[in-house]
């Protein structure tokens, strides 16, 4: 059994997708947040999952928060930590501590559009496809070995909101699949490449 801790900052729909996927060999041991008003926390609690919050505003600096968060996370002895809409820039100390067992979902086809407002920027750039990326986390923002990517078309009538909705549907397939592949021991990293990742959604989404 693999213990998974999920970090969220808001609605937590990606966290819900992981929980609802009932992934074999995976136990969601905690859902943690930096914001006690994150709506996903209430949902997790209803499912009987342990939850916890550390308010980043109560800490003197980024490292103090990350150090406390590491202690909280580690109290659950996770095999994997999943950033599912966790809206914090992480310190190198945090990233190094969880190297090889920390993954993130980002709503763009990395390395394009790191950071925020990804859908608006994809539209402004005139992209004909957009999507999402699951990757191992390294100290550089939205970087690290890519596990899988989901691709969706960009339509002429798209707004950032309609594109976000289409990408989110791909996220909800991609992230549970990555967790399942990790739990099944299918993923290995050689240099900067993840070997053994499976990306069927990339093709089904593109052709849909
Ligand atoms: C997702 O689009 C995720 O890719 C991004 O933040 C959003 C979180 O959504 N990092 P949710 O909280 O999982 O619903």
């Amino acid at each position: 059994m693999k213990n998974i801790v999920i970090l969220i900052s808001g609605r937590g729909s990606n966290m819900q997708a992981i929980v609802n996927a009932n992934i074999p060999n995976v136990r969601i041991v905690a859902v943690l947040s930096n914001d006690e008003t994150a709506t996903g926390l209430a949902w997790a609690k209803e499912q009987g999952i342990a939850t916890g919050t550390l308010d980043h505003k109560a800490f003197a600096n980024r490292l103090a928060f990350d150090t406390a968060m590491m202690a909280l996370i580690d109290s659950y002895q996770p095999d994997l930590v999943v950033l599912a809409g966790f809206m914090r820039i992480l310190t190198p100390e945090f990233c190094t501590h969880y190297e090889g067992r920390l993954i993130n979902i980002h709503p763009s086809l990395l390395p394009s559009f790191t950071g925020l407002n990804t859908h608006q920027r994809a539209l402004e750039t005139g992209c004909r496809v957009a999507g999402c990326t699951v990757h191992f986390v390294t100290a550089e923002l939205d970087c690290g070995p890519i596990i899988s990517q989901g691709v969706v078309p960009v339509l002429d009538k798209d707004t950032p909101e309609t594109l976000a909705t289409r990408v989110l549907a791909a996220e909800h397939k991609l992230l549970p699949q990555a967790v399942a592949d990790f739990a099944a021991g299918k993923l290995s990293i050689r240099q900067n490449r993840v070997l053994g990742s499976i990306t069927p959604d990339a093709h089904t989404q593109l052709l849909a």
Side-chain angles (χ1 to χ4, degrees):
M1 217 19 125
K2 301 285 183 196
N3 289 340
I4 313 280
V5 168
I6 306 177
L7 304 191
I8 64 169
S9 293
R11 108 199 113 171
S13 68
N14 277 291
M15 174 271 297
Q16 293 183 28
I18 296 169
V19 173
N20 288 334
N22 288 317
I23 302 166
N25 210 30
V26 161
R27 180 169 43 214
I28 314 296
V29 286
V31 174
L32 307 176
S33 181
N34 62 314
D35 181 352
E36 66 177 2
T37 67
T39 51
L41 283 177
W43 185 88
K45 225 177 260 173
E46 276 166 29
Q47 314 308 306
I49 300 169
T51 60
T53 304
L54 283 181
D55 180 358
H56 61 274
K57 296 192 289 299
F59 292 84
N61 55 49
R62 215 173 265 290
L63 184 56
F65 170 77
D66 277 8
T67 303
M69 191 48 115
M70 282 189 258
L72 179 59
I73 293 169
D74 288 347
S75 71
Y76 292 99
Q77 301 186 304
D79 297 291
L80 177 68
V81 178
V82 180
L83 307 177
F86 187 59
M87 306 304 281
R88 296 280 307 162
I89 293 174
L90 302 166
T91 56
E93 287 81 356
F94 187 99
C95 297
T96 303
H97 182 69
Y98 295 109
E99 193 179 342
R101 52 192 181 115
L102 178 64
I103 67 173
N104 179 47
I105 176 99
H106 182 74
S108 79
L109 294 171
L110 291 173
S112 295
F113 311 123
T114 58
L116 299 174
N117 302 318
T118 53
H119 306 302
Q120 184 173 339
R121 288 156 63 206
L123 292 176
E124 283 168 3
T125 309
C127 294
R128 305 310 313 225
V129 294
C132 50
T133 303
V134 180
H135 63 99
F136 283 105
V137 174
T138 55
E140 211 179 328
L141 179 69
D142 296 327
C143 279
I146 290 172
I147 297 168
S148 53
Q149 295 185 299
V151 182
V152 302
V154 175
L155 307 180
D156 289 347
K157 58 178 195 273
D158 267 335
T159 63
E161 291 73 30
T162 59
L163 182 55
T165 301
R166 194 173 310 118
V167 171
L168 192 65
E171 292 180 39
H172 292 165
K173 294 180 186 170
L174 209 65
L175 188 54
Q177 182 65 58
V179 172
D181 289 347
F182 181 94
K186 286 186 185 169
L187 305 182
S188 64
I189 305 173
R190 192 183 300 158
Q191 286 159 348
N192 200 40
R193 293 181 64 192
V194 177
L195 307 179
S197 57
I198 304 165
T199 60
D201 290 329
H203 307 292
T204 49
Q205 293 293 318
L206 187 57
L207 297 174

